[in-house]
Amino acid sequence: MSEHGSEHHAGHVHLEYQPALPLRNGKLCLWLFLSTEIMFFAGLIGTYIVLRFGAPAWPSPHDVHLIEIWGAVNTFFLICSSVTVVLSLEAAHANRASSAKFWLMLTFVLGTIFLLIKMYEYNSKFAHGIYPAKPRSLLWERADLYYLSAVRESLQDERLSIEARRDENQQLAAADQEKLDTVDTILQGLVLPAERKAAATDQVGPRFEAVQLVASAIYPRHGQREALLEQLEQLEPEIKSTDQRLTQQREQLVATQSSLQAAPEAERDAGKLAEVGGQIAVLDEQHRLVQAQSRAMSLVREAELGLNEHFAEGRVRGWMKLPMVIPGGNMWASTYFLLTGFHAIHVLVGLIVFALALPMTLDKSKAGFIENSGLYWHFVDLVWIFLFPLLYLF
């Protein structure tokens, strides 16, 4: 009897029912939040892919000063931070509070380094004028007459700005006078000849070459420097020939003027003398423009990284910034700052959470908090794993 009762008691099963999901409320809420974040970034990244591979033109990373090594370094730091936050969680589970705090501090440091590098990259873009702006930035999609007009207006505005710095004696400081001479050289020796050449022909090829010369001189995109130097070599003989022709014509007119002046005053032809003087003045003006063109060619040759970079002279931003031609540049700048900006905000939020956790005693009781923070941080890292190749490698 007792044996049967014992068998009956041993076969009885006690069931325990969980009234909800086998997750803590905090972890469940975090997963729900991350699901919305996944949809948010999936929409952004998907839109970028459609724009990137559907655009007729898109700048290469070198065109927009996007350096792959910095993106790779940032990827390395974020991956390391994912490892350190896991080590912090394991230390908290083992009730080693000091070790958990050390690994969490290292995670915070690695994330901070990521943001600092991103700030450095942002500064590089702003220093080169590669950013979206209203009503428009320095970026132009193609080299055309509208672009040339924008460059001319920019130079004229810079000239007025320099002229406004004259003192009461209408004198300029030596540095300002040098800048004014440079502006005049670029305007008269590079931009205006290109406008005249482009306006003088209906053929697309010569017109494009004239405008492209200015665009490449201001901001040579990746691989354009060699083509620019070839254009300069083709122009130099023409400039020299024009200079020699103008010099010979002036010498002839000066000789004619001298002979007219040597005639007796009663026989002197005042009208002819005035006409020759006017012709000499016209030749002097033409010769001045040719000399400006020659100086502009020398300046372009000297500015290996383009005129904008040349005037920066190692500073964050140069004293003169001219419009640049980067096909697809405005769309690239908008998408780049949108994607990386939202990601940087998420990184900053994660760092704030870590900063709030560091003063705590990170023992076993705080393991759930570290786990939830780590899940969010892993999501942030995963988003960057997608952004890095899309932005830096394609």
Side-chain angles (χ1 to χ4, degrees):
M1 182 70 177
S2 61
E3 182 179 353
H4 177 74
S6 176
E7 291 177 357
H8 178 74
H9 179 74
H12 183 70
V13 178
H14 294 278
L15 299 178
E16 294 183 2
Y17 293 95
Q18 179 73 25
L21 291 175
L23 292 174
R24 296 185 305 275
N25 290 338
K27 192 172 183 179
L28 176 61
C29 291
L30 180 66
W31 275 114
L32 291 175
F33 169 73
L34 289 182
S35 66
T36 63
E37 291 292 282
I38 289 171
M39 290 186 287
F40 173 72
F41 276 102
L44 288 180
I45 294 174
T47 303
Y48 175 82
I49 292 173
V50 171
L51 293 174
R52 164 66 182 89
F53 294 100
W58 198 262
S60 68
H62 297 282
D63 292 340
V64 289
H65 296 271
L66 202 61
I67 303 175
E68 294 90 339
I69 187 63
W70 287 121
V73 168
N74 257 355
T75 304
F76 173 76
F77 282 132
L78 275 190
I79 292 175
C80 289
S81 69
S82 287
V83 175
T84 55
V85 77
V86 170
L87 294 175
S88 177
L89 175 61
E90 291 300 315
H93 278 307
N95 217 28
R96 293 184 281 111
S98 60
S99 180
K101 181 172 292 189
F102 168 77
W103 290 116
L104 195 64
M105 172 63 78
L106 188 55
T107 304
F108 179 84
V109 170
L110 291 172
T112 302
I113 293 174
F114 174 91
L115 282 186
L116 291 175
I117 293 177
K118 184 52 62 182
M119 289 172 60
Y120 170 79
E121 289 188 297
Y122 277 6
N123 181 68
S124 175
K125 307 297 175 295
F126 281 99
H128 290 93
I130 302 174
Y131 53 85
K134 188 177 179 179
R136 69 165 298 111
S137 66
L138 294 176
L139 304 179
W140 286 72
E141 299 295 319
R142 58 181 180 269
D144 53 16
L145 291 177
Y146 296 104
Y147 167 72
L148 271 184
S149 177
V151 175
R152 174 167 45 79
E153 290 177 3
S154 179
L155 288 168
Q156 290 172 344
D157 291 342
E158 186 63 40
R159 197 178 196 287
L160 291 175
S161 175
I162 297 173
E163 290 282 1
R165 296 197 289 269
R166 291 185 181 275
D167 58 20
E168 60 274 7
N169 298 322
Q170 295 300 308
Q171 298 296 318
L172 283 173
D176 286 336
Q177 184 61 52
E178 183 179 354
K179 291 177 181 179
L180 184 62
D181 294 340
T182 302
V183 169
D184 288 340
T185 295
I186 298 172
L187 180 62
Q188 299 172 6
L190 184 65
V191 178
L192 295 182
E195 283 188 332
R196 289 193 295 267
K197 187 174 181 179
T201 178
D202 294 330
Q203 298 179 358
V204 177
R207 177 179 294 179
F208 174 77
E209 290 179 0
V211 182
Q212 186 61 42
L213 173 65
V214 177
S216 299
I218 293 172
Y219 188 84
R221 302 201 316 275
H222 185 62
Q224 285 188 340
R225 179 66 181 175
E226 293 76 10
L228 174 62
L229 294 177
E230 290 180 2
Q231 280 187 279
L232 296 182
E233 290 180 358
Q234 295 174 359
L235 285 174
E236 283 179 351
E238 179 182 344
I239 294 173
K240 290 181 179 179
S241 175
T242 303
D243 182 68
Q244 293 175 356
R245 176 176 57 81
L246 293 175
T247 300
Q248 293 175 355
Q249 290 179 355
R250 189 183 190 283
E251 290 176 352
Q252 293 174 357
L253 288 173
V254 167
T256 303
Q257 185 184 50
S258 299
S259 62
L260 290 173
Q261 291 175 341
E265 185 174 353
E267 301 177 4
R268 188 176 302 169
D269 190 342
K272 181 65 174 178
L273 189 61
E275 180 184 352
V276 171
Q279 292 176 349
I280 292 176
V282 170
L283 286 177
D284 287 341
E285 178 63 19
Q286 293 178 350
H287 190 259
R288 186 181 65 81
L289 294 176
V290 170
Q291 288 180 329
Q293 194 172 5
S294 179
R295 290 194 302 272
M297 297 300 105
S298 299
L299 181 59
V300 170
R301 229 178 243 284
E302 181 183 349
E304 296 183 3
L305 300 178
L307 296 176
N308 277 353
E309 188 76 13
H310 184 70
F311 293 129
E313 298 175 351
R315 297 190 296 272
V316 174
R317 189 174 179 86
W319 61 271
M320 179 170 61
K321 279 291 183 181
L322 300 175
M324 304 172 294
V325 174
I326 303 179
N330 282 297
M331 182 62 71
W332 179 91
S334 299
T335 54
Y336 171 80
F337 284 103
L338 182 69
L339 288 170
T340 59
F342 272 119
H343 180 263
I345 291 173
H346 283 71
V347 173
L348 181 61
V349 170
L351 294 180
I352 292 174
V353 173
F354 293 148
L356 294 175
L358 285 173
M360 303 177 184
T361 301
L362 301 179
D363 54 10
K364 195 171 184 177
S365 64
K366 295 297 188 295
F369 178 82
I370 297 176
E371 182 180 7
N372 291 340
S373 303
L375 284 173
Y376 173 82
W377 194 250
H378 291 325
F379 166 75
V380 171
D381 294 354
L382 184 62
V383 170
W384 181 254
I385 294 299
F386 282 95
L387 293 182
F388 167 62
L390 284 175
L391 295 174
Y392 288 79
L393 303 181
F394 293 100

